[in-house]
């Protein structure tokens, strides 16, 4: 039986916490699930170390939080596991997934609630950190007139312009329209919800106006003031809440190898 209580150590005052006292391979109890869930809501992204888990254990852990998401166009699919994607970079890579600030698959009508990434291999000389940004804090730091202006606006999200070259071009990426400021369905807090990978335009504005507004928001969102940075080790896990967090995987280790698996939990329609 796994330990019942977990420890939560904050990485920064604004975002991120490392969790200990959990052995994911052994399965988590209801009480541990509740504590982990609360730690995720409180810290937006949580980290675990030394978790030597199989794909099935990874998926079982994810299923505690909801149905598993099937990516519409995985760059590196995993045979026999449509609900898992591989995250892989090596000397042959021309791009890597997760590069540039984004929330996962926001082109979906119901974008994922959370993503759980388990890395097995990390670059041997360092690098390959992932940065996470708190989108409640980014929203709250805007001036009141700007918050009022953004509330009620919507934006188009589309995966086509970032389509992986290896993807099946007979399949289309989904497209969706989402609020620029979404309300988190569990905390009730407002968060900015646009990102460089998927957002294409703010609805109702000219292209010039929309581009300028989005660029202003991207620069604001990407400020270090509301970020934490996670340094990976083999068997580390990061679990982020896509409803309140953007992330950016640093590709600063070419030609070295970085490899792992991501299980993604389904979410609901942003409002
Ligand atoms: C991702 O966006 O899922 C990848 C993040 C990472 O590789 O750190």
């Amino acid at each position: 039986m796994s330990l019942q209580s977990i420890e939560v150590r904050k990485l920064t005052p604004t975002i991120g916490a490392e969790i200990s006292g959990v052995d994911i391979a052994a399965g988590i109890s209801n009480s541990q699930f509740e504590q982990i869930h609360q730690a995720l809501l409180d810290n937006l992204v949580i980290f675990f170390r030394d978790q030597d888990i199989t794909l099935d254990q990874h998926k079982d852990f994810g299923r505690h939080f909801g149905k598993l998401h099937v990516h519409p166009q995985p760059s590196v699919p995993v045979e026999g596991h449509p609900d898992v994607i591989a995250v892989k970079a090596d000397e042959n890579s021309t791009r890597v997934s997760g590069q540039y600030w984004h929330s996962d698959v926001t082109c979906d009508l119901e974008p994922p609630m959370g993503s759980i990434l388990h890395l097995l291999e990390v670059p041997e000389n360092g690098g390959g950190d992932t940065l996470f940004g708190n989108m409640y804090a980014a929203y709250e730091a805007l001036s009141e007139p700007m918050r009022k202006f953004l509330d009620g606006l919507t934006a188009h999200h589309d995966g086509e312009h970032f389509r992986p070259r290896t993807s099946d071009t007979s399949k289309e990426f989904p497209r969706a329209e989402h609020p620029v400021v979404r309300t988190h369905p569990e905390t009730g807090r407002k968060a900015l919800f646009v990102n460089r990978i998927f957002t294409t335009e703010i609805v109702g504005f000219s292209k010039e106006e929309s581009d300028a507004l989005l660029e202003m928001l991207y620069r604001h969102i990407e400020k270090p003031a509301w970020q934490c940075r996670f340094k990976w080790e083999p068997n580390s896990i990061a679990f982020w809440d896509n409803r309140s967090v953007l992330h950016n995987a640093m590709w600063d280790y070419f030609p070295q190898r970085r490899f792992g698996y991501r299980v993604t939990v389904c979410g609901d329609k942003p409002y």
Side-chain angles (χ1 to χ4, degrees):
M1 190 63 187
S2 47
L3 287 175
Q4 293 299 304
S5 64
I6 68 168
E7 279 165 46
V8 180
R9 189 178 63 81
K10 279 191 176 289
L11 290 195
T12 75
T14 333
I15 179 169
E18 200 161 312
I19 307 291
S20 49
V22 181
D23 177 5
I24 292 175
I28 57 167
S29 64
N30 289 341
S31 139
Q32 284 180 320
F33 161 71
E34 277 163 25
Q35 294 171 70
I36 293 168
H37 183 220
Q38 193 57 51
L40 182 68
L41 294 180
D42 293 345
N43 298 286
L44 289 63
V45 54
I46 51 179
F47 306 103
F48 303 82
R49 298 283 187 194
D50 304 318
Q51 302 290 333
D52 188 4
I53 54 170
T54 64
L55 279 185
D56 285 328
Q57 290 162 343
H58 192 166
K59 293 203 292 188
D60 284 347
F61 179 64
R63 280 194 203 97
H64 281 275
F65 298 87
K67 201 170 147 226
L68 300 188
H69 176 268
V70 176
H71 197 287
Q73 285 282 356
S75 313
V76 191
V78 181
E79 213 183 317
H81 295 275
D83 42 12
V84 179
I85 59 174
V87 167
K88 175 181 164 203
D90 60 20
E91 73 281 8
N92 299 315
S93 301
T94 52
R95 55 177 287 180
V96 301
S97 58
Q99 221 187 343
Y100 309 112
W101 284 99
H102 67 289
S103 173
D104 290 320
V105 208
T106 62
C107 55
D108 263 1
L109 283 176
E110 296 184 342
M113 161 266 176
S115 302
I116 306 167
L117 178 62
H118 174 221
L119 285 196
L120 289 91
E121 291 177 56
V122 301
E124 62 184 45
N125 297 332
D129 299 351
T130 309
L131 273 57
F132 297 89
N134 177 336
M135 292 304 104
Y136 301 136
Y139 174 73
E140 287 157 12
L142 292 168
S143 65
E144 196 189 339
M146 181 53 76
R147 290 199 305 266
K148 278 201 176 133
F149 172 70
L150 296 176
D151 281 343
L153 296 182
T154 60
H156 287 144
H157 294 241
D158 183 343
E160 281 306 319
H161 59 300
F162 259 82
R163 178 188 275 283
R165 269 196 231 140
T166 50
S167 71
D168 174 357
T169 47
S170 66
K171 283 196 205 152
E172 284 206 354
F173 258 105
R175 293 185 174 88
E177 184 175 334
H178 297 309
V180 169
V181 178
R182 75 177 291 182
T183 303
H184 193 289
E186 296 187 82
T187 65
R189 294 178 68 188
K190 288 182 174 180
L192 282 171
F193 196 64
V194 288
N195 69 85
R196 282 194 194 271
I197 292 195
F198 295 106
T199 312
T200 53
E201 60 176 351
I202 302 194
V203 176
F205 290 78
S206 69
K207 177 158 171 32
E208 194 181 3
E209 290 166 342
S210 168
D211 286 353
L213 190 48
L214 283 173
E215 188 56 35
M216 182 279 286
L217 288 175
Y218 295 152
R219 287 186 187 194
H220 177 73
I221 279 169
E222 296 165 5
K223 287 179 185 159
W226 30 80
Q227 289 175 19
C228 72
R229 183 175 187 123
F230 185 60
K231 207 160 262 310
W232 293 89
E233 293 165 5
N235 283 328
S236 298
I237 290 178
F239 182 178
W240 58 90
D241 185 338
N242 281 302
R243 302 164 299 182
S244 53
V245 170
L246 294 193
H247 61 284
N248 183 4
M250 294 286 110
W251 191 26
D252 51 4
Y253 51 90
F254 180 84
Q256 293 189 16
R257 192 174 150 87
R258 183 177 182 270
F259 181 80
Y261 294 109
R262 193 183 91 194
V263 162
T264 310
V265 180
C266 289
D268 38 29
K269 191 169 162 43
Y271 60 89

